[in-house]
Amino acid sequence: MKRNHRFEHEGIKFRINRTAPLIIVKASLNGKGPFDFVVDTGASMTVISPAVAKRAGVNAKGVKAKATGAHGHIDATIGRLKSMKIGDTEASGLSVAIMSLAIVNRATNLKLGGVIGYNLLKRYVVTIDYSKRRIFFKAAQSPKARRSKRSSERKR
């Protein structure tokens, strides 16, 4: 995960949808985009639309899956991104569910490229500053690194 420390302090600008209180950020996938993505702390996996998958060169012929949402089950295909960039924060090797976002787009009057879910968010300490309309991604320490730090602090 690459980070620009200057940007980490300024945060990434987001907008809030008027129809529903959704945080929307711009993201690039495999160097293509930007596309509008909703940040969804309740989504277990990052999702991209078939159109975005095609534009970003993501293979849509992976493992088949069923996604469950507010409107029931939707067929999905699991793909893998080489990179996903949000502002100056970049993640690599991210699994994504490729599935239609038509229902969400109709309900919100948006043209979303995807949804940022837990499998990306868990890599970071995420802070949302609503008053400044900024979201901050700080690389999270692995559990092993946290244990090692606590152990060395106890020895002092």
Side-chain angles (χ1 to χ4, degrees), residues 79-154:
R80 192 172 221 38
L81 296 177
K82 291 177 189 158
S83 69
M84 180 172 197
K85 192 170 184 180
I86 308 161
D88 280 358
T89 300
E90 186 171 356
S92 59
L94 184 69
S95 293
V96 293
I98 302 165
M99 57 187 259
S100 173
L101 296 172
I103 293 171
V104 174
N105 284 334
R106 275 195 303 274
T108 59
N109 276 339
L110 294 171
K111 291 184 180 177
L112 296 173
V115 177
I116 297 170
Y118 172 75
N119 70 322
L120 174 67
L121 297 174
K122 72 179 181 180
R123 297 179 181 193
Y124 301 93
V125 174
V126 180
T127 304
I128 300 168
D129 185 334
Y130 284 94
S131 65
K132 293 181 181 173
R133 300 270 168 113
R134 301 278 177 188
I135 187 166
F136 302 84
F137 293 88
K138 182 179 177 190
Q141 282 187 322
S142 70
K144 184 177 179 180
R146 284 193 300 271
R147 283 191 302 273
S148 175
K149 184 178 178 184
R150 281 194 303 260
S151 177
S152 67
E153 287 173 354
R154 278 189 234 131

Side-chain angles (χ1 to χ4, degrees), residues 66-69 71-75:
K66 290 266 186 207
T68 303
H71 297 283
H73 299 288
I74 298 175
D75 290 330

Side-chain angles (χ1 to χ4, degrees), residues 37-85:
F37 273 73
V38 166
V39 177
D40 186 349
T41 59
S44 59
M45 190 165 197
T46 299
V47 175
I48 62 174
S49 73
V52 167
K54 185 174 182 180
R55 280 192 53 202
V58 180
N59 184 355
K61 295 181 180 168
V63 176
K64 302 295 180 198
K66 290 266 186 207
T68 303
H71 297 283
H73 299 288
I74 298 175
D75 290 330
T77 302
I78 306 302
R80 192 172 221 38
L81 296 177
K82 291 177 189 158
S83 69
M84 180 172 197
K85 192 170 184 180

